[in-house]
Structure formats: C-alpha cells, structure tokens
Amino acid sequence: MQIQFDDRVNYSVDNVERSIAADTEISKKYTGEQKKDLYKKKLAMLDTYPQLKKMIDINYIYNYPLENVQNWGKIGIIPPEIVITDDRIKDMCRYQFWTNFISRTTNKREWRFTRCPGLETASACPYFSPPAKKVREMLDNSDIFIVAQTKPFCDYSGVQWQYKVITQYCEDLQKMLGKEAVVQRSGAGPCQICYPEGCLENGDCRNPEKQVPALESLGIPVAQLCRDMALLTNDKSWELTWIKHWGLESQWPKVWKVHFGIAIKLDGAKKA
C-alpha cells in the first residue's frame, strides 16, 4: 500500500483524515478492484428490489414538498463492508477553531477559539454517540449503505432542513422494506431533529428512533467515503475540498456540501 500525502502540511485536516483512513483494517483489507467487485454485487442485489432502486435516485428526493430539497445533488450506494468507522475521527471534533455561536452564559453571539460546541454536550455528538466498534457491528449487519450529497451551496443559517428529508426518506424506506430495515441513519453536524427545540443534551433524547448523528460522530471519515463513492461510480464530483478558515472573511472555498448516510438491511425485507 502506498500512501501519498502533502508533506508540507502534515497536520492539515485533510492529511489527518487521510492518515486515519489509511491506518484502518478496512483500508488495508480492500484494494480498489476488490471494492469495485463488491459494489457490482450490491448493485445486483439491488436489482431484486425494484422499488428500492427507484428510491436511490435524486429525482425521488426532489418530489418531496420540503424546504431546500433542491440542494441535494446526488445519491448512490456503497458496500457497508468498505465503510470505515474509527474513534479517531470522533476525536477530530476536539480541533480548535474560530467560531461564532451563542454563549451559554450571556445568551449572545460571540467569537471564540474553541472546539465544536456540540462535543460532549449534544446527545448525538461524541461521546454520547455509539463507539466505532458498535457502528462496525451495525455496518456488518447491513447489506447496503445509501449515501446522498448536496450540491455546493452557501448558507450560514444552518442546515436544519436536511433532517426533514432524512426523516421522510427513512419513513419511506421503512414503509417499503419494514421498520427493521433501517439499521442506522446519519447526517451532517449536530443532530437537530427536534429543531426549533434545542437538544436535551448529555445523552438524553426525545426521539431516539429518529435521532440523526453526524457521519463523523459515528467515526466515519466523510472525505474517504466520498473518495470511495467517486471510485465506484467513476464520478469525481463526489470528492470533497476541505474548507480553510471556516467562517472567517478569508474562508476558501465559500461553498460546501453536506451528506447523509443510511445503513439498510435487506435480509428478510419485503421485496417491494
């Protein structure tokens, strides 16, 4: 295995994420060709579920009468066997950065150089979210992993709208395949399924069955997930560009993408 990094910025977020991904058993186990072979098998499996196959189409999501639904750009599947989960990804939430958020003490917006404010606070964030070992068990109990990605967009007001899409999509999957078919759902950023109500925090949750932890909160390196999607689909637009100087005037690029991931178990599911 040959690992290629930019030695000039060894501790960039990009290189740290790539290093963690490269250091996992999953990366060491599967070559690119083996990943493609698994992918072909999953596509063949999907052929036996024609209604599900129709759902794995971005136009299906566009039919939802929901806010910002057109922000979503593409959707596909990946073999859950090659999805990485590692607790070191969760630890990256400890990175310090300049952020502007509402202070708990003054209830006013203020700038602070700090870690993500959701860490060890929001109930779907580390370390209330399941450990990588548990997520690995859920992935191993799944048959396909559905991944959706938005188009590049710019919106500093938050991405609460993504949770309505994820919830509706999972409900459709459960109606079609059975309630137990959805093994795990995940999105981007601290879960806001209860928005505009705030999270109960400290591990407490009003809607545990609908909770949507971030992919990173499950230990999944999203950039590697997208590199694998690009490999499997021959669509380079899946790949990500890491943002530098987030939220500052010098931020580049000025746009970003968010994702959701849903682990699906088809064994025993209804072949609708």
Side-chain angles (χ1 to χ4, degrees), residues 12 49 85 93 133 153 185-186 224 227 250 265 270:
S12 69
Y49 293 84
T85 178
C93 293
K133 182 179 179 180
F153 71 98
R185 63 189 79 189
S186 49
Q224 180 60 48
R227 287 192 290 272
S250 57
K265 183 175 178 61
K270 295 176 286 186

Side-chain angles (χ1 to χ4, degrees), residues 52-103:
L52 174 59
K53 192 172 182 178
K54 290 180 181 178
M55 283 188 65
I56 305 175
D57 183 323
I58 199 63
N59 290 303
Y60 185 91
I61 291 177
Y62 289 159
N63 286 325
Y64 289 154
L66 298 173
E67 179 186 11
N68 291 321
V69 72
Q70 294 293 325
N71 278 355
W72 294 98
K74 58 176 71 71
I75 190 169
I77 66 166
I78 190 171
E81 293 92 331
I82 71 172
V83 176
I84 292 170
T85 178
D86 192 294
D87 285 325
R88 290 172 291 182
I89 294 296
K90 298 155 72 82
D91 291 339
M92 291 179 72
C93 293
R94 293 186 177 277
Y95 270 28
Q96 307 290 307
F97 66 108
W98 282 108
T99 182
N100 183 351
F101 65 95
I102 297 176
S103 168

Side-chain angles (χ1 to χ4, degrees), residues 50-171:
Q51 294 304 313
L52 174 59
K53 192 172 182 178
K54 290 180 181 178
M55 283 188 65
I56 305 175
D57 183 323
I58 199 63
N59 290 303
Y60 185 91
I61 291 177
Y62 289 159
N63 286 325
Y64 289 154
L66 298 173
E67 179 186 11
N68 291 321
V69 72
Q70 294 293 325
N71 278 355
W72 294 98
K74 58 176 71 71
I75 190 169
I77 66 166
I78 190 171
E81 293 92 331
I82 71 172
V83 176
I84 292 170
T85 178
D86 192 294
D87 285 325
R88 290 172 291 182
I89 294 296
K90 298 155 72 82
D91 291 339
M92 291 179 72
C93 293
R94 293 186 177 277
Y95 270 28
Q96 307 290 307
F97 66 108
W98 282 108
T99 182
N100 183 351
F101 65 95
I102 297 176
S103 168
R104 293 175 178 276
T105 55
T106 66
N107 203 33
K108 296 179 180 179
R109 284 202 168 273
E110 59 183 49
W111 283 98
R112 290 188 60 193
F113 186 69
T114 185
R115 64 189 191 179
C116 176
L119 180 67
E120 297 178 321
T121 301
S123 295
C125 287
Y127 293 90
F128 298 115
S129 53
K133 182 179 179 180
K134 178 65 175 178
V135 179
R136 181 75 263 156
E137 291 174 358
M138 290 190 284
L139 290 170
D140 290 342
N141 193 40
S142 306
D143 294 299
I144 63 170
F145 193 82
I146 300 173
V147 184
Q149 182 185 82
T150 62
K151 305 167 187 173
F153 71 98
C154 178
D155 181 2
Y156 282 97
S157 65
V159 289
Q160 295 90 356
W161 44 265
Q162 68 166 310
Y163 299 97
K164 293 181 180 179
V165 172
I166 296 170
T167 298
Q168 183 62 63
Y169 194 76
C170 286
E171 287 177 356

Side-chain angles (χ1 to χ4, degrees), residues 219-258:
I220 297 173
V222 177
Q224 180 60 48
L225 183 72
C226 291
R227 287 192 290 272
D228 281 332
M229 288 298 296
L231 170 72
L232 299 176
T233 63
N234 293 315
D235 182 355
K236 296 285 285 184
S237 69
W238 275 101
E239 295 191 12
L240 304 181
T241 299
W242 285 95
I243 290 174
K244 295 182 180 180
H245 307 162
W246 168 263
L248 304 179
E249 290 184 4
S250 57
Q251 177 183 318
W252 186 89
K254 297 292 186 181
V255 295
W256 54 88
K257 302 175 182 178
V258 298

